[in-house]
Amino acid sequence: MLLKLIGSLLIMAASSFLGVYFSKECARRPRELRELQRLLQMFENEISFLSSTVTEAFIKLSGYYESNIRLFFSQAAEILMHKNGINASEAWEMAVKENIKKTALKKEDEAIVLSFGKMLGASDLEGQISNIRLTLTQLKMQEEKAEEEKEKNKTMYMNLGVLGGLAIVIILI
Amino acid sequence: MVTEDEEVKNEISFYNMLKEEIFNFLPLELKNILLKIDPKELETIEEIRLRAGKPLMLESCSGSWFVNQRGRLEKNCTNEKVVFQHEIIKAFELMSQNSIYAFLEDIRNGFITLKGGHRVGIAGRVVVEGGIVKNIKDMSALNIRVSKEVRGCSKKIMKYIVKNKNDIYSTLIVSPPQCGKTTMLRDIARNISNGIKSMSFNGIKVGIVDERSEIASCHKGIAQNDVGIRTDVLDGCPKAIGMTMMLRSMSPKVIITDEIGNSGDMEAVMQVINAGTRIIASAHGYNISELKTRKEVLGLIEQKAFERYIVLDNSQGPGTLKEVIDGITMKGVQQDAS
């Protein structure tokens, strides 16, 4: 009897943990989207007020946050520093494609992030700023969508975890 | 005296410099072709020319050369390696460190300066708004001018410039294009600023007004060429304004500037002279009488602004000394007397 009790407690604990984990995961995507927006805003400041080069700005930006979003910037900067005849838009594409898996961003977010790179560094300041602004509005929309999704899924995962555990326990007993 | 060993070392470092400071900023395909060229062939290189739809070309002392796929230099056009416009645009993106927006001021003047002092001239479709050049787009040609510092090239002429151990003569250097005017000015600046031990000349404060970023070749405000320890550089500033600014702000003993002869230059130079500051400048021309046909320069000659005129030509390589003329008497200075 005691063994059964311990076993069912363990199952309950594990499944609730899974539920909490997944509901936390839901919150990651909107958070990362917000962070990306903030980084892009800082990038705008870097190039318009300090007229830093793309590489300089990216190195600076990658020091600001701890999350995986910064990997886009740090890796792109690293590629550019090697000077292998790779320009900024190519470096950005490489860095994003390599690191997108480590973030919670979805395919549709990736498309926006990649299209940001197409113009990167290749125009005058106004062009750069309008490119950043466009990307920011698109990311804002994605963030709102992600936020809604998060609210929906968060409780669902939580409930699913606890109740699922309960169900397993009942079946096994 | 340069020993043979040192010469070999110089060659290697010149090639490394080319690789580091220029080839690294070219698209991979072009870079690989240039790397195949025998380093010996590149010793005298002056320009690398990229033109959309035209073969890759190098300019050196011995004329222009076409580069083929295997990195051989040929006199006749083979059309083997054609440069594409997208390569030119990419090269330009790389040269501006992927930050064209940060170099827009330079682009409007038609060139950017690379780290190391190499100037890259740009041609393409110019965007004009309200009579002012806003940008150059659809680039069709790049001219990469390899900058070479020739240390000690002014050795022969320093004795005509130095007056006593703390003072120099105001000097105008006259020479046709491509004869080493700017290189000479740079070396003079370094000598005056550092002082010359053998002539027991103490260094004095030098201010360089570098309108076209040619003398000091500043990259982001830092002089890439060695212009001496007591030298301040005002980079990219129009000469006439720059000379006045320099005079007020940095209290130089000598102001050095390139290619005078535009309107407004005369007044600025006279202002410098009247403030008791010396001036060393250069002007395009083959001789003094040709200079006199230009109004601004004639005014300066008549007001005896310069105490020395040094005429250079190309007869024995760039920077050959042709004559030295005293600005007060307008007679030749004995070249043998020191």
Side-chain angles (χ1 to χ4, degrees):
Chain A
M1 191 60 208
L2 188 67
L3 268 179
K4 264 190 183 171
L5 202 65
I6 293 172
S8 43
L9 271 178
L10 274 176
I11 288 170
M12 276 299 285
S15 65
S16 321
F17 172 77
L18 271 178
V20 172
Y21 175 78
F22 277 113
S23 71
K24 276 256 170 72
E25 272 295 296
C26 290
R28 230 178 88 193
R29 182 166 161 241
R31 201 184 60 232
E32 285 181 345
L33 283 169
R34 261 195 302 280
E35 233 163 67
L36 189 57
Q37 289 175 60
R38 250 175 269 145
L39 282 169
L40 288 179
Q41 235 141 27
M42 285 186 222
F43 179 62
E44 183 186 321
N45 285 343
E46 282 287 328
I47 63 171
S48 57
F49 297 119
L50 303 171
S51 64
S52 321
T53 62
V54 170
T55 321
E56 284 167 349
F58 276 13
I59 291 171
K60 221 166 172 185
L61 291 179
S62 54
Y64 285 145
Y65 286 107
E66 283 300 305
S67 76
N68 287 336
I69 288 291
R70 80 196 165 102
L71 291 175
F72 297 163
F73 295 89
S74 58
Q75 183 148 19
E78 207 170 294
I79 294 170
L80 287 176
M81 277 191 291
H82 283 304
K83 291 186 190 154
N84 278 334
I86 294 169
N87 66 8
S89 67
E90 290 162 343
W92 178 256
E93 197 178 322
M94 283 159 79
V96 169
K97 285 201 169 142
E98 193 158 315
N99 291 307
I100 195 93
K101 291 264 153 58
K102 294 178 194 160
T103 68
L105 298 190
K106 288 189 172 170
K107 260 272 172 287
E108 52 198 274
D109 307 327
E110 185 184 354
I112 296 171
V113 178
L114 284 177
S115 76
F116 161 74
K118 292 274 181 288
M119 279 269 289
L120 189 57
S123 71
D124 58 3
L125 197 54
E126 284 139 51
Q128 290 298 304
I129 289 177
S130 66
N131 182 34
I132 295 171
R133 297 263 162 89
L134 174 72
T135 314
L136 281 177
T137 29
Q138 285 174 330
L139 286 177
K140 186 83 203 153
M141 270 152 57
Q142 289 303 110
E143 187 208 322
E144 274 160 21
K145 264 200 269 174
E147 197 68 44
E148 262 172 49
E149 236 168 79
K150 179 191 110 183
E151 287 308 320
K152 254 196 299 181
N153 293 345
K154 206 173 135 190
T155 36
M156 185 195 77
Y157 278 125
M158 195 75 124
N159 292 340
L160 207 64
V162 178
L163 296 179
L166 210 59
I168 295 170
V169 169
I170 290 167
I171 291 166
L172 288 183
I173 287 175
Chain B
M1 275 299 282
V2 180
T3 63
E4 217 166 281
D5 270 359
E6 270 175 49
E7 221 156 55
V8 169
K9 219 163 77 188
N10 278 344
E11 273 160 28
I12 294 169
S13 66
F14 178 67
Y15 185 65
N16 277 344
M17 186 270 303
L18 273 180
K19 262 202 307 205
E20 278 291 311
E21 292 173 354
I22 297 178
F23 295 173
N24 264 346
F25 293 100
L26 294 172
L28 216 52
E29 201 196 339
L30 289 178
K31 180 179 162 182
N32 286 338
I33 290 176
L34 286 170
L35 283 176
K36 281 183 211 154
I37 301 173
D38 183 10
K40 276 218 148 42
E41 308 258 25
L42 290 172
E43 267 165 42
T44 56
I45 186 172
E46 280 165 2
E47 292 177 352
I48 301 171
R49 319 272 327 203
L50 312 179
R51 296 183 181 96
K54 305 273 162 57
L56 176 64
M57 284 179 81
L58 300 180
E59 300 274 337
S60 71
C61 282
S62 46
S64 21
W65 298 92
F66 296 94
V67 185
N68 71 12
Q69 285 289 3
R70 294 178 307 283
R72 289 269 169 70
L73 301 184
E74 281 172 35
K75 262 285 167 209
N76 299 319
C77 177
T78 52
N79 255 343
E80 211 178 300
K81 171 55 202 161
V82 171
V83 181
F84 299 105
Q85 189 174 30
H86 67 84
E87 287 180 308
I88 291 178
I89 291 171
K90 192 166 172 196
F92 189 71
E93 277 180 43
L94 294 171
M95 283 171 189
S96 64
Q97 296 173 50
N98 296 294
S99 314
I100 289 177
Y101 54 85
F103 289 85
L104 218 54
E105 274 304 314
D106 295 345
I107 295 171
R108 286 181 189 144
N109 288 325
F111 65 86
I112 60 171
T113 308
L114 294 184
K115 203 160 185 272
H118 317 287
R119 287 250 315 253
V120 181
I122 314 154
R125 168 128 186 86
V126 177
V127 186
V128 182
E129 212 178 270
I132 297 165
V133 176
K134 275 212 71 178
N135 198 354
I136 301 179
K137 64 169 188 178
D138 303 334
M139 286 161 197
S140 60
L142 292 180
N143 171 23
I144 306 164
R145 293 176 66 182
V146 180
S147 139
K148 258 185 266 186
E149 276 188 69
V150 187
R151 279 162 181 276
C153 66
S154 67
K155 215 170 163 187
K156 274 193 191 148
I157 67 169
M158 280 318 289
K159 61 183 173 197
Y160 302 111
I161 296 177
V162 172
K163 195 187 222 164
N164 56 40
K165 70 176 187 188
N166 286 319
D167 203 2
I168 61 155
Y169 293 113
S170 287
T171 306
L172 184 68
I173 294 175
V174 183
S175 118
Q178 297 280 307
C179 287
K181 261 190 320 290
T182 310
T183 319
M184 196 65 91
L185 272 181
R186 189 183 301 138
D187 202 51
I188 291 173
R190 181 165 48 226
N191 278 333
I192 293 176
S193 164
N194 288 348
I196 310 165
K197 268 212 183 112
S198 60
M199 298 168 76
S200 65
F201 172 74
N202 300 327
I204 54 179
K205 284 181 282 182
V206 176
I208 296 180
V209 181
D210 202 0
E211 181 168 355
R212 302 195 297 173
S213 307
E214 279 185 316
I215 306 177
S217 296
C218 290
H219 178 86
K220 297 200 154 197
I222 308 285
Q224 296 296 312
N225 293 323
D226 179 8
V227 285
I229 41 175
R230 291 180 190 83
T231 304
D232 308 304
V233 184
L234 210 50
D235 184 40
C237 184
K239 272 187 292 289
I241 308 168
M243 282 191 251
T244 327
M245 276 168 71
M246 205 50 151
L247 211 53
R248 286 197 206 123
S249 56
M250 306 307 284
S251 74
K253 279 268 163 57
V254 193
I255 286 184
I256 295 183
T257 189
D258 210 358
E259 285 171 26
I260 56 161
N262 294 333
S263 62
D265 285 356
M266 187 173 83
E267 277 162 51
V269 170
M270 286 321 291
Q271 204 178 358
V272 172
I273 304 277
N274 290 337
T277 303
R278 307 283 172 223
I279 186 150
I280 296 180
S282 69
H284 271 303
Y286 290 86
N287 49 46
I288 298 289
S289 44
E290 194 203 318
L291 271 187
K292 285 184 179 165
T293 60
R294 287 155 69 185
K295 215 177 89 210
E296 290 280 321
V297 185
L298 179 66
L300 286 169
I301 295 175
E302 278 173 350
Q303 295 191 52
K304 306 214 180 295
F306 295 104
E307 295 158 279
R308 286 279 185 273
Y309 295 91
I310 293 178
V311 185
L312 304 176
D313 69 7
N314 217 348
S315 55
Q316 290 160 46
T320 311
L321 183 61
K322 198 170 147 203
E323 55 180 342
V324 182
I325 292 166
D326 189 305
I328 311 292
T329 60
M330 289 314 271
K331 281 181 188 149
V333 174
Q334 269 296 323
Q335 293 213 9
D336 297 325
S338 63

